[in-house]
Amino acid sequence: MNKEIKSIRGMYDYFPKDLKIWNYIEIIFKEVLNSYCYLEIRLPILEKTEIFKRAIGNVTDVVEKEMYSFNDRKGNNLTLRPEGTVGCVRAIIQNNLLQKSNKFWYLGPMFRYERPQKGRYRQFYQLGAEVFGLETEDIDLEIIILTNRLWKRIGIDSFITLEVNSIGSKIDRVQYKKELVNFLKKREYLLDEDCKRRLYTNPLRILDSKNQDIQNLLKEAPLLSEYISFSENNHFKNLCNMMNHHGIKYKCNPHLVRGLDYYNSTVFEWKSNKLGAQNTICAGGRYDSLVQEMGGRKTPAIGFAIGIERLVLLVKSLKIFSEVIEESNVYIIFIGDNNKCHAINLSEEIRDLYPKLRIFINFLHQNLTKKIKNAISSLARIIILIGDNEIKKGFFLVKDLKEKKEYHLLKKELILKIQEIFK
Ligand code: ATP
Ligand code: MG
């Protein structure tokens, strides 16, 4: 194929079969978010590069290697957003939205220059939610209960598990980082290349390594939880107690850390064992100093993001939805070009009366048998046939493909029949 008309590596087209699942998921998500009074916001896909660098952290994978950044015509350095939280914080500071409402959600594409593989793409969609102004663990719990409800509503709750951890405050982590680096330096020869690099840039990320040898090595390592302040520890304990009380199943994973610098205190991930290496469907946590660091007044915050493609992969692997797409409900076939007008008029009249029906007119130059075959494969419920004879006598020939019955109906009768069938 001509190379120039191929899409960019790691960026995919989405087709109707998959989009049927996407739309179903979206409808459920919107319903659930609405039921918790989270309000939608839509944000630009491009932001100034500087805000990501400052917020996400210069030595994180995202900022170091994964951002799509470029200069615009005036020389401003811009970035295709790699995640949604930073833009959301920028927007609420800029628009003074902190007082008005404190729970938001958004859905849209994100961009990261990563190595494409199953569940990891260069353009992918996230549904995210962010809550501002609440510092107690009640909101951590609400977010976890809310996400749990999403899984239940879609029917994947038994295939996905929750891991939680507390990564304390920045100050707590400074001391811990020193201890961890000390421990790992003594064993540097055992580290893989990635971890060696991280030892000097972002050592906490080593905790989260997928390499089993590294995980074994870490069994002896100092534990972050031992360096966390009393108040942070309390926050986490309270959250765990509340989860127990509300019947939320979870696992404490002391090695769970997040890839972006702005997180603190509670972090969590929902994982599935059905997806292979890219198994995190939803990730989130608190970021209590980000609003202030980005120039707003001190405001605690928490959020999460769901990777929609991974969720769709999971839903597909579980075969929760049938992949059959009904292309039409009513299939109109006209015989002879002079009857095309009647077909169009009739279809418009039906749409006026029944706006939800899907009405398809076959405009192809095919013989009748072929057109009927197409109607059947489009999973239409009824076919309406319009030929000279029908027009002359003022009726329509209607085939009910499900009941396997045929009717000759006046327009009025046809309209009633449609109502009866599709009520
Ligand atoms: P991972 O450990 O999988 O790289 P991350 O820590 O980079 O995840 P976040 O920035 O927390 O991920 O993003 C939240 C969610 O968005 C992830 O859990 C995942 O479901 C999804 N996600 C992240 N990066 C990608 C990607 N490149 N392609 C598809 N989905 C992604
Ligand atoms: Mg990542």
Side-chain angles (χ1 to χ4, degrees), residues 316-347:
K316 279 171 79 174
S317 77
L318 296 171
K319 300 198 180 1
I320 290 176
F321 297 106
S322 84
E323 295 202 4
V324 179
I325 298 183
E326 272 177 29
E327 288 165 24
S328 65
N329 305 125
V330 176
Y331 197 102
I332 302 181
I333 296 175
F334 59 89
I335 304 152
D337 258 8
N338 48 336
N339 290 319
K340 190 193 291 178
C341 237
H342 295 294
I344 296 173
N345 284 341
L346 178 68
S347 72

Coordinates of all heavy atoms in Angstrom, one line a residue, residues 316-347:
K316 N -14.5 -7.1 25.2 CA -14.5 -8.0 24.0 C -14.1 -9.4 24.4 O -14.7 -10.4 23.9 CB -13.7 -7.4 22.9 CG -14.4 -6.3 22.1 CD -13.5 -5.6 21.1 CE -13.2 -6.4 19.9 NZ -12.5 -5.6 18.9
S317 N -13.0 -9.5 25.2 CA -12.5 -10.8 25.5 C -13.5 -11.6 26.3 O -13.5 -12.8 26.3 CB -11.1 -10.7 26.2 OG -11.3 -10.3 27.6
L318 N -14.3 -10.9 27.1 CA -15.3 -11.6 27.9 C -16.6 -11.9 27.1 O -17.5 -12.5 27.6 CB -15.7 -10.7 29.1 CG -14.5 -10.5 30.1 CD1 -14.9 -9.5 31.2 CD2 -14.1 -11.8 30.8
K319 N -16.7 -11.3 25.9 CA -17.8 -11.5 25.0 C -19.1 -11.1 25.7 O -20.1 -11.9 25.7 CB -17.9 -13.0 24.5 CG -16.7 -13.4 23.7 CD -17.0 -14.7 22.9 CE -15.9 -15.2 22.1 NZ -14.6 -14.7 22.1
I320 N -19.1 -10.0 26.3 CA -20.3 -9.5 27.0 C -21.3 -9.0 26.1 O -22.5 -9.1 26.3 CB -19.9 -8.4 28.0 CG1 -19.1 -9.0 29.2 CG2 -21.1 -7.6 28.6 CD1 -18.5 -8.0 30.1
F321 N -20.9 -8.5 24.9 CA -21.9 -7.9 24.0 C -21.9 -8.8 22.7 O -20.8 -9.3 22.3 CB -21.5 -6.5 23.6 CG -21.6 -5.6 24.7 CD1 -20.5 -5.1 25.3 CD2 -22.8 -5.2 25.2 CE1 -20.5 -4.2 26.4 CE2 -22.9 -4.3 26.3 CZ -21.7 -3.9 26.9
S322 N -23.0 -8.9 22.1 CA -23.0 -9.5 20.8 C -22.4 -8.5 19.8 O -22.6 -7.3 20.0 CB -24.4 -9.9 20.4 OG -25.1 -8.8 19.8
E323 N -21.7 -9.0 18.8 CA -21.1 -8.1 17.9 C -22.0 -7.8 16.7 O -21.6 -7.1 15.7 CB -19.7 -8.6 17.4 CG -18.8 -8.7 18.6 CD -17.3 -8.8 18.1 OE1 -17.1 -8.6 16.9 OE2 -16.5 -8.9 19.0
V324 N -23.2 -8.3 16.7 CA -24.1 -8.1 15.6 C -24.6 -6.7 15.6 O -25.0 -6.1 16.6 CB -25.3 -9.0 15.7 CG1 -26.3 -8.8 14.6 CG2 -24.8 -10.5 15.8
I325 N -24.5 -6.1 14.4 CA -25.0 -4.7 14.3 C -26.2 -4.7 13.4 O -26.2 -5.2 12.3 CB -23.9 -3.8 13.7 CG1 -22.7 -3.7 14.6 CG2 -24.5 -2.4 13.5 CD1 -21.7 -2.8 14.1
E326 N -27.3 -4.2 13.9 CA -28.5 -4.1 13.1 C -28.3 -2.8 12.2 O -28.2 -1.7 12.8 CB -29.7 -3.8 13.9 CG -30.4 -5.1 14.4 CD -31.5 -4.7 15.3 OE1 -32.1 -3.6 15.2 OE2 -31.8 -5.5 16.2
E327 N -28.2 -3.0 10.9 CA -27.9 -1.8 10.1 C -29.2 -0.9 9.9 O -29.1 0.2 9.7 CB -27.3 -2.2 8.8 CG -25.8 -2.6 9.0 CD -25.3 -3.3 7.8 OE1 -25.8 -3.1 6.7 OE2 -24.3 -4.1 8.0
S328 N -30.3 -1.6 9.8 CA -31.5 -0.9 9.6 C -32.7 -1.6 10.2 O -32.7 -2.8 10.5 CB -31.8 -0.7 8.1 OG -32.0 -2.0 7.5
N329 N -33.8 -0.8 10.4 CA -35.1 -1.4 10.9 C -36.0 -1.6 9.7 O -36.7 -2.6 9.5 CB -35.8 -0.5 11.9 CG -34.9 -0.2 13.1 OD1 -34.7 1.0 13.4 ND2 -34.4 -1.2 13.7
V330 N -36.1 -0.5 8.9 CA -37.0 -0.5 7.7 C -36.1 -0.4 6.5 O -35.2 0.5 6.4 CB -37.9 0.7 7.8 CG1 -38.8 0.8 6.6 CG2 -38.7 0.7 9.1
Y331 N -36.3 -1.3 5.5 CA -35.5 -1.3 4.3 C -36.4 -1.0 3.1 O -37.3 -1.8 2.9 CB -34.8 -2.7 4.2 CG -33.7 -2.7 3.3 CD1 -32.4 -2.8 3.8 CD2 -33.8 -2.8 1.9 CE1 -31.3 -2.9 2.9 CE2 -32.7 -2.9 1.1 CZ -31.5 -3.0 1.6 OH -30.4 -3.1 0.7
I332 N -36.1 0.1 2.4 CA -37.0 0.5 1.3 C -36.4 0.1 0.0 O -35.3 0.5 -0.3 CB -37.4 2.0 1.4 CG1 -38.0 2.3 2.8 CG2 -38.3 2.4 0.2 CD1 -38.5 3.7 2.9
I333 N -37.2 -0.6 -0.8 CA -36.7 -1.0 -2.1 C -37.7 -0.4 -3.1 O -38.9 -0.6 -3.1 CB -36.7 -2.5 -2.3 CG1 -35.6 -3.1 -1.3 CG2 -36.3 -2.9 -3.7 CD1 -35.6 -4.7 -1.3
F334 N -37.1 0.4 -4.0 CA -38.0 0.9 -5.1 C -37.6 0.2 -6.4 O -36.4 -0.1 -6.6 CB -37.9 2.4 -5.3 CG -36.5 2.9 -5.5 CD1 -36.1 3.1 -6.8 CD2 -35.7 3.3 -4.5 CE1 -34.8 3.6 -7.1 CE2 -34.4 3.8 -4.7 CZ -34.0 3.9 -6.0
I335 N -38.6 0.0 -7.3 CA -38.3 -0.7 -8.5 C -38.5 0.3 -9.7 O -39.6 0.9 -9.8 CB -39.2 -1.9 -8.7 CG1 -39.0 -2.9 -7.5 CG2 -38.9 -2.7 -10.1 CD1 -40.3 -3.7 -7.3
G336 N -37.5 0.6 -10.4 CA -37.5 1.6 -11.4 C -37.2 3.0 -10.9 O -37.7 3.4 -9.8
D337 N -36.4 3.7 -11.6 CA -35.9 5.0 -11.2 C -37.0 6.0 -10.9 O -36.9 6.9 -10.1 CB -34.9 5.6 -12.2 CG -33.5 5.5 -11.7 OD1 -33.4 4.8 -10.6 OD2 -32.6 6.0 -12.3
N338 N -38.1 5.9 -11.7 CA -39.2 6.8 -11.5 C -39.9 6.7 -10.1 O -40.7 7.5 -9.7 CB -40.3 6.7 -12.6 CG -40.7 5.3 -12.9 OD1 -39.9 4.4 -12.5 ND2 -41.8 5.0 -13.4
N339 N -39.7 5.6 -9.4 CA -40.3 5.5 -8.1 C -39.3 5.9 -6.9 O -39.7 5.8 -5.8 CB -40.7 4.0 -7.9 CG -41.9 3.7 -8.7 OD1 -42.8 4.5 -8.9 ND2 -41.9 2.5 -9.4
K340 N -38.1 6.3 -7.3 CA -37.2 6.8 -6.3 C -37.7 7.9 -5.4 O -37.6 7.9 -4.2 CB -35.9 7.3 -7.0 CG -34.7 7.5 -6.0 CD -33.6 8.3 -6.7 CE -32.9 7.5 -7.8 NZ -31.9 8.3 -8.4
C341 N -38.4 8.8 -6.1 CA -39.0 9.9 -5.4 C -40.0 9.5 -4.3 O -40.0 10.0 -3.2 CB -39.8 10.8 -6.4 SG -39.2 12.4 -6.4
H342 N -40.8 8.5 -4.7 CA -41.8 8.0 -3.7 C -41.1 7.4 -2.5 O -41.5 7.5 -1.4 CB -42.7 6.9 -4.4 CG -43.5 7.5 -5.4 ND1 -44.6 8.4 -5.2 CD2 -43.5 7.2 -6.8 CE1 -45.1 8.7 -6.4 NE2 -44.5 8.0 -7.3
A343 N -40.0 6.7 -2.8 CA -39.2 6.0 -1.7 C -38.7 7.1 -0.8 O -38.8 6.9 0.5 CB -38.1 5.2 -2.3
I344 N -38.1 8.1 -1.3 CA -37.5 9.2 -0.5 C -38.7 9.8 0.3 O -38.5 10.0 1.6 CB -36.8 10.2 -1.3 CG1 -35.6 9.6 -2.0 CG2 -36.3 11.4 -0.5 CD1 -34.8 10.4 -3.0
N345 N -39.8 10.2 -0.3 CA -40.9 10.8 0.4 C -41.4 9.9 1.6 O -41.6 10.4 2.7 CB -42.1 11.1 -0.5 CG -41.8 12.3 -1.4 OD1 -40.9 13.1 -1.1 ND2 -42.5 12.4 -2.5
L346 N -41.5 8.7 1.3 CA -42.0 7.8 2.3 C -41.0 7.7 3.5 O -41.4 7.8 4.6 CB -42.3 6.4 1.7 CG -42.8 5.3 2.7 CD1 -44.2 5.7 3.2 CD2 -42.7 3.9 2.2
S347 N -39.8 7.6 3.1 CA -38.8 7.5 4.2 C -38.8 8.7 5.1 O -38.7 8.6 6.3 CB -37.4 7.2 3.7 OG -36.9 8.4 3.0

